[in-house]
Amino acid sequence: MNLGSTFGTDAPVIGMIHLPALPGAPGAPDDGAVAMDAAVERAVDDARTLEAGGVDGLMIENFGDAPFYPDDVPKHTVAATTRAATAVAGAVDLPIGINVLRNDAEAAVSVAAAVGAAFVRVNVHTGARVTDQGIVEGRAHETVRLRERLGVDVGILADTDVKHSAPLAPAGYSAESFADTAERGLADAVIASGSGTGHAVDDDALEAVVAERERHGLDTPVFVGSGVRPDTVGDLLGVADGVIVGTALKENGETTAPVDVDRVAELVARADEAR
């Protein structure tokens, strides 16, 4: 994945758009039209605020839909995500990514193809993880082939040691998953995260991912996918190639709050100092 051509920089800051509960989810208003309008309005507001603050890209995620389906969301969720992403694409001039939780890569690639998004995030692309949805298995073989069938240039950003999960065996962290994800799973970039939303990535784990990339002679970009803050973004960009930021950009640092333009500008300014 060529970060420069996709994001206009070799060290991009991607801002998160956490959609509120979509129609049909437990936390959504009973009136589906009200829920949809609220999700679209919030998504567009956050997108414009992130753009004004200077981020290089956006990631749209159905964060409010908990409890999440493991790997096959309902069709109405795909439709609602597509509508919100279409509104965002029409409101800002930034590359957009799609993540359909918990792990519906088929839906993510399909939405991306429909709205002209540049990339998707796949939490479990290869291997298998134990999650609160049960055992979630990667379907790289299906995801990559779907992208080819649709004929779209959509980058696949795939997690390694993904947050809110654990390996099937208590073997601890293994950076070998980087090679499986990038070489055998054909991911375009790999994401290293902390244990949960807003949690910082372990320094040793991040360095192990980058070291494994070098050992295999790969040039696959590495992103940090959680816990990035203004005071850490510079150091992280000294190791990783890009960051995905959500919680730190929200009002009062609350994940579900609206995006705060001052917080965005502060973090981007710190990132600019490091790149």
Side-chain angles (χ1 to χ4, degrees), residues 134-146:
I135 296 175
V136 174
E137 297 184 30
R139 297 180 178 178
H141 57 292
E142 296 178 356
T143 305
V144 174
R145 285 174 172 82
L146 173 62

Side-chain angles (χ1 to χ4, degrees), residues 13 49-55 228-234 237 243 245 247-250 252-253 259-275:
V13 174
T49 303
L50 287 164
E51 184 177 48
V55 301
V228 180
R229 306 187 309 271
D231 60 317
T232 63
V233 66
L237 287 177
V243 295
V245 196
T247 301
L249 305 182
K250 303 300 189 68
N252 300 316
V259 174
D260 184 326
V261 69
D262 292 332
R263 284 176 170 261
V264 180
E266 180 187 4
L267 187 139
V268 170
R270 297 287 190 92
D272 285 341
E273 294 173 358
R275 53 185 180 176

Side-chain angles (χ1 to χ4, degrees), residues 95-119:
I96 293 170
I98 307 294
N99 186 20
V100 179
L101 300 170
R102 170 67 158 138
N103 201 58
D104 196 337
E106 179 182 5
V109 171
S110 300
V111 173
V115 305
F119 57 99

Side-chain angles (χ1 to χ4, degrees), residues 178-191:
F178 183 97
D180 289 338
T181 301
E183 286 190 309
R184 294 165 64 85
L186 302 183
D188 300 291
V190 170
I191 303 170

Side-chain angles (χ1 to χ4, degrees), residues 128-255:
R129 304 286 294 185
V130 179
T131 75
D132 52 312
Q133 295 80 33
I135 296 175
V136 174
E137 297 184 30
R139 297 180 178 178
H141 57 292
E142 296 178 356
T143 305
V144 174
R145 285 174 172 82
L146 173 62
R147 180 177 63 177
E148 296 303 312
R149 289 200 305 274
L150 295 177
V152 292
D153 185 19
V154 173
I156 296 173
L157 279 59
D159 282 86
T160 178
D161 202 39
V162 66
K163 58 189 176 181
H164 300 291
S165 76
L168 287 175
Y173 181 83
S174 173
E176 287 294 333
S177 61
F178 183 97
D180 289 338
T181 301
E183 286 190 309
R184 294 165 64 85
L186 302 183
D188 300 291
V190 170
I191 303 170
S193 297
S195 60
T197 300
H199 294 192
V201 65
D202 180 79
D203 291 340
D204 291 339
L206 176 60
E207 291 174 2
V209 170
V210 174
E212 185 65 13
R213 175 183 65 182
E214 302 305 318
R215 192 172 77 80
H216 283 264
L218 302 173
D219 59 2
T220 309
V222 173
F223 283 81
V224 174
S226 71
V228 180
R229 306 187 309 271
D231 60 317
T232 63
V233 66
D235 289 339
L236 291 172
L237 287 177
V239 180
D241 303 292
V243 295
I244 302 170
V245 196
T247 301
L249 305 182
K250 303 300 189 68
E251 294 178 0
N252 300 316
E254 297 179 5
T255 305

